[in-house]
Amino acid sequence: MTTFERDATSLRPPWPFTGRQDELELIRGSVAGGRHGIVVTGPAGRGKTRLVTEAVRGTDCARATGTPETRDLPFAAFAHLLPDTVSLHRAVQLLSGVRLLLVDDAHLLDDASAALVHQLAVHGRTRLLVVATEGARAPGAITRLWTGELLPRLDLEPLPREETAQLLAAGAGGLEALTVSRLHRLCQGDLRLLRELVGAVREQGLLARVPDSGEWEWRGPVPVTATVRERLADLLDRADPGERATLDRLAFGEPLPVDADTLDLHSLEVLEADGLVHIDDHGTASLAHPLHGPVLRSVAGRLRARRLARTPSDRTAALETETAALARAIAETDVRAVPAPVGEWLVTEGIGVPAPHAAVRARFARLRGQLREAASWAREGLRTTPEDHPCHLELALSTAQSGEAGRVVAEGRDNWEPVAARVGGSGSVNRGGPSAADPGTPAAPSAGAVDPGTPEAPSASAADSGTPAAPSASAADPGTPTPPSSGAAAWWAAARGDLDAALDAVGAEPYDAVRLGAPERAVGRLTGVFAAHADALAQGDGPALDRAARTLEERGFLLFAAEAYAQAAQAHRDPGAARTSRTRSVALARRCQGARTPALAGLVLGELTARQRQIVTLAAAGLTNRQIAEKLTLSVRTVGNHLYGAYTRLGASDRDALPCLVELPEAQPA
């Protein structure tokens, strides 16, 4: 029987504990062996209590908790562990025999309890696990635990976006990438608020099924829950009428230039000093917390909203500026994060995103390794323009390189020809980026296009013109029949486990050949870091592959970097260097939203024969032995024998374990 600790207000069972593995191991190590313990701090709602509870699960642990109501009662937190009347000295003696003591909400302890914890840290043999909220007033005896270096301190950082996605998948299930990103952005590490928002969105019927998908999306206003209302009340209580007017103007128009004709400078100065407004290096103002804008808009009223809302022309100009910035980053082969709040606002409000912007956003996300997010942006563009060629291509490419491809293949929907037909063939649509063959895939230099392998400033060309709108006619006319998209064909063949067909389909995309393990096909066709990657792979030079991977990572190409590190792990002669490269590859690929490409599968499958790798990849995708036999023209018995040999080498007991092994790191939702 499973017993849940239920929330008193929602009566919902808690979400499964997910993520925080590094912190979990650090805490467990700090209360094991000859260690004295650790202090865990962080803002309210960051998951401190849940983390330490998981860390001590299964151990013999005594527990004490501070509460606001008992701060004036001596030893109140330890009443269940101590006699009715006891001195500090006697309390230390009684608790020194406790093996492990967890003190939660230590900032709320009464002075006597705080002194007891401090004395146990100084003199006792008890291992202490102390939890305190950052920014709250705490007794001096507690703060001296870390300021006096009695115990190490772990300041809990916000849960990363990748681990937020895992948590939402485990607790809420099936949310698409842009919804996950929105929730992560709004909650900023407050896990209680995260759960409350997800519950409110569900209860108010704001989730909608994504077409042709098992995922759900959230568009539209932010539910004003009790927690959100409390935060808004605090915000409005601190603002006078002039400051409130400035906040409202920012809520409907951020970011706005710091201009006397646009914003009240005095109010802006006060709001900045209070930490409610952020001014960037370019002199533009925005609300400091991403939750404030949606909430202020939701309570503004129709007339006020109509007066303050941006005009369509303002929104169009701002969106074109964002699209140009993204396209320029792609052209300069540096896809580190670029702020683009207008496009995100259009999505979250459910207004609709123009296909040209959506295609560039999808391409930018795919190059960064954010494959699920790329697919979501492509779908947004197809809502407004169902036949948009670049959006169809981005959807095909991002899906083919992700774990989602395995499900599609298993369901027999791996035919990419309809996608290629929508794309108009080669997909050589110039949208302000580097490749003439595949938007977003580094390719050979061509006249009038920016070579992605060249780190220098791009030449004045269509790729760097800053024009994010309609596709350029200089590349390929979407209405002209051309050969099918070699990029889409290659990656769908790879998803089916047919690397020979994938390499045959590479065609004009030389960097795809490098990623698929055939650098000889890219000789003389790449420059810069992409050429360095190809040369190092061709020479089997592990250190050079590591250097290329580091450069790719620095420029934001996380999936490419993960693949290069994976290839380095196979090339290194030194086992220690190989382990380091493999670890880096796994860490990066975990940030790539379920990426599943041959180079990453090779992290585990490198010990198998070519035929075993082919069969294991198909089995992991969900195909039965008979389906694999028919696809590869083998007998069912032969397929079974190959799988049995693969199980032995991989340490797997059956085919249920294969998806985790082939997809290392594990594919993660959203």
Side-chain angles (χ1 to χ4, degrees):
M1 181 178 73
T2 301
T3 301
F4 294 111
E5 298 176 4
R6 294 179 179 268
D7 184 291
T9 56
S10 67
L11 295 180
R12 302 190 195 102
W15 288 354
F17 180 84
T18 305
R20 300 282 194 200
Q21 289 304 309
D22 292 341
E23 295 92 337
L24 193 63
E25 292 305 316
L26 177 62
I27 294 172
R28 285 173 173 168
S30 298
V31 295
R35 307 295 179 85
H36 296 296
I38 191 171
V39 178
V40 179
T41 64
R46 193 151 288 182
K48 302 182 295 298
T49 299
R50 188 67 186 278
L51 174 63
V52 297
T53 300
E54 191 68 24
V56 301
R57 188 180 300 280
T59 65
D60 184 12
C61 175
R63 185 164 184 159
T65 303
T67 59
E69 295 79 10
T70 59
R71 294 190 75 159
D72 296 328
L73 301 178
F75 299 117
F78 294 91
H80 60 297
L81 299 174
L82 298 173
D84 290 342
T85 302
V86 65
S87 67
L88 176 60
H89 177 71
R90 181 57 178 158
V92 172
Q93 286 182 326
L94 291 172
L95 293 183
S96 290
V98 174
R99 180 183 180 90
L100 176 60
L101 176 62
L102 168 57
V103 183
D104 199 5
D105 286 337
H107 59 287
L108 297 177
L109 290 177
D110 59 273
D111 290 339
S113 295
L116 172 58
V117 174
H118 188 271
Q119 290 300 311
L120 288 171
V122 174
H123 302 294
R125 298 184 300 250
T126 302
R127 296 167 187 161
L128 293 169
L129 181 49
V130 181
V131 180
T133 295
E134 179 184 314
R137 184 177 63 86
I142 295 299
T143 59
R144 282 195 294 274
L145 291 175
W146 61 86
T147 59
E149 299 184 354
L150 291 173
L151 293 176
R153 176 186 178 186
L154 170 62
D155 190 11
L156 213 57
E157 297 292 329
L159 201 66
R161 194 267 180 205
E162 296 78 23
E163 293 188 9
T164 301
Q166 294 176 5
L167 178 62
L168 286 168
L175 298 180
E176 57 91 41
L178 295 183
T179 297
V180 170
S181 295
R182 183 185 188 186
L183 287 165
H184 176 70
R185 192 166 57 247
L186 288 174
C187 297
Q188 291 193 331
D190 189 331
L191 302 184
R192 288 187 300 187
L193 177 60
L194 178 71
R195 187 179 179 192
E196 184 173 315
L197 274 181
V198 170
V201 165
R202 278 180 163 173
E203 291 166 3
Q204 295 184 24
L206 300 179
L207 287 176
R209 176 79 70 175
V210 178
D212 300 323
S213 170
E215 296 180 329
W216 296 83
E217 64 183 12
W218 168 35
R219 304 291 186 263
V222 174
V224 183
T225 65
T227 302
V228 171
R229 192 178 295 111
E230 287 174 6
R231 296 193 177 194
L232 181 63
D234 179 63
L235 173 71
L236 298 182
D237 288 344
R238 295 161 61 184
D240 64 25
E243 293 163 5
R244 171 63 190 276
T246 300
L247 289 171
D248 282 344
R249 188 171 292 279
L250 285 171
F252 282 91
E254 62 178 335
L256 289 174
V258 179
D259 189 314
D261 295 332
T262 306
L263 298 169
D264 180 72
L265 294 183
H266 175 72
S267 297
L268 205 58
E269 289 177 1
V270 174
L271 292 169
E272 183 186 20
D274 288 343
L276 298 176
V277 168
H278 171 70
I279 310 297
D280 65 17
D281 295 336
H282 303 289
T284 57
S286 57
L287 295 170
H289 197 293
L291 187 63
H292 289 162
V295 173
L296 285 169
R297 291 195 297 271
S298 70
V299 299
R302 292 185 179 181
L303 293 178
R304 191 177 185 85
R306 184 180 301 174
R307 177 171 61 83
L308 295 174
R310 281 183 170 182
T311 64
S313 60
D314 290 339
R315 193 163 56 222
T316 299
L319 192 65
E320 288 177 351
T321 300
E322 285 187 0
T323 313
L326 293 164
R328 187 160 48 249
I330 295 172
E332 294 172 353
T333 63
D334 187 339
V335 292
R336 285 171 286 192
V338 173
V342 178
E344 292 167 357
W345 183 78
L346 291 174
V347 169
T348 58
E349 294 297 313
I351 295 175
V353 181
H357 178 80
V360 174
R361 287 296 293 260
R363 180 176 167 193
F364 188 81
R366 178 168 59 85
L367 287 174
R368 288 173 51 80
Q370 298 168 337
L371 300 183
R372 294 182 183 274
E373 198 158 312
S376 292
W377 277 110
R379 291 190 187 99
E380 287 295 324
L382 293 174
R383 288 180 177 182
T384 57
T385 311
E387 298 303 318
D388 186 74
H389 305 157
C391 284
H392 276 295
L393 179 58
E394 290 301 333
L395 181 58
L397 288 168
S398 57
T399 303
Q401 296 175 45
S402 73
E404 179 70 9
R407 183 180 66 82
V408 174
V409 169
E411 293 174 358
R413 299 190 292 109
D414 59 327
N415 186 4
W416 58 270
E417 281 84 354
V419 174
R422 293 191 194 100
V423 174
S426 67
S428 52
V429 178
N430 185 349
R431 305 198 65 81
S435 173
D438 166 16
T441 301
S446 61
V450 173
D451 174 23
T454 306
E456 292 79 12
S459 60
S461 63
D464 190 38
S465 66
T467 304
S472 168
S474 63
D477 181 358
T480 304
T482 54
S485 171
S486 54
W491 288 107
W492 277 107
R496 293 194 301 270
D498 193 344
L499 292 183
D500 290 336
L503 289 172
D504 288 343
V506 164
E509 290 83 15
Y511 193 61
D512 281 354
V514 178
R515 297 176 63 197
L516 292 169
E520 66 279 359
R521 301 194 180 203
V523 173
R525 303 176 64 191
L526 295 169
T527 61
V529 64
F530 304 105
H533 182 182
D535 293 343
L537 183 60
Q539 297 168 17
D541 188 336
L545 281 166
D546 282 337
R547 290 193 294 272
R550 280 194 294 272
T551 303
L552 289 166
E553 181 181 359
E554 289 169 359
R555 295 189 183 184
F557 296 99
L558 299 190
L559 178 54
F560 298 169
E563 292 171 332
Y565 275 128
Q567 292 164 342
Q570 300 294 323
H572 277 301
R573 297 181 181 179
D574 176 15
R579 284 193 297 271
T580 299
S581 296
R582 182 184 184 279
T583 299
R584 289 172 176 167
S585 177
V586 170
L588 285 174
R590 280 179 178 154
R591 298 167 60 187
C592 292
Q593 301 180 1
R596 178 181 171 184
T597 64
L600 299 182
L603 288 172
V604 171
L605 301 184
E607 299 299 319
L608 304 183
T609 66
R611 180 61 82 182
Q612 284 175 332
R613 286 197 299 272
Q614 192 175 34
I615 291 174
V616 164
T617 301
L618 293 171
L623 274 67
T624 65
N625 286 12
R626 183 169 298 281
Q627 289 172 324
I628 296 172
E630 293 173 353
K631 185 175 284 287
L632 301 180
T633 320
L634 299 172
S635 70
V636 176
R637 181 183 294 273
T638 299
V639 171
N641 289 339
H642 278 301
L643 278 176
Y644 181 79
Y647 294 156
T648 302
R649 293 195 181 193
L650 295 174
S653 57
D654 54 35
R655 71 193 300 128
D656 290 339
L658 292 180
C660 294
L661 293 172
V662 173
E663 293 179 13
L664 269 181
E666 294 182 5
Q668 65 183 24

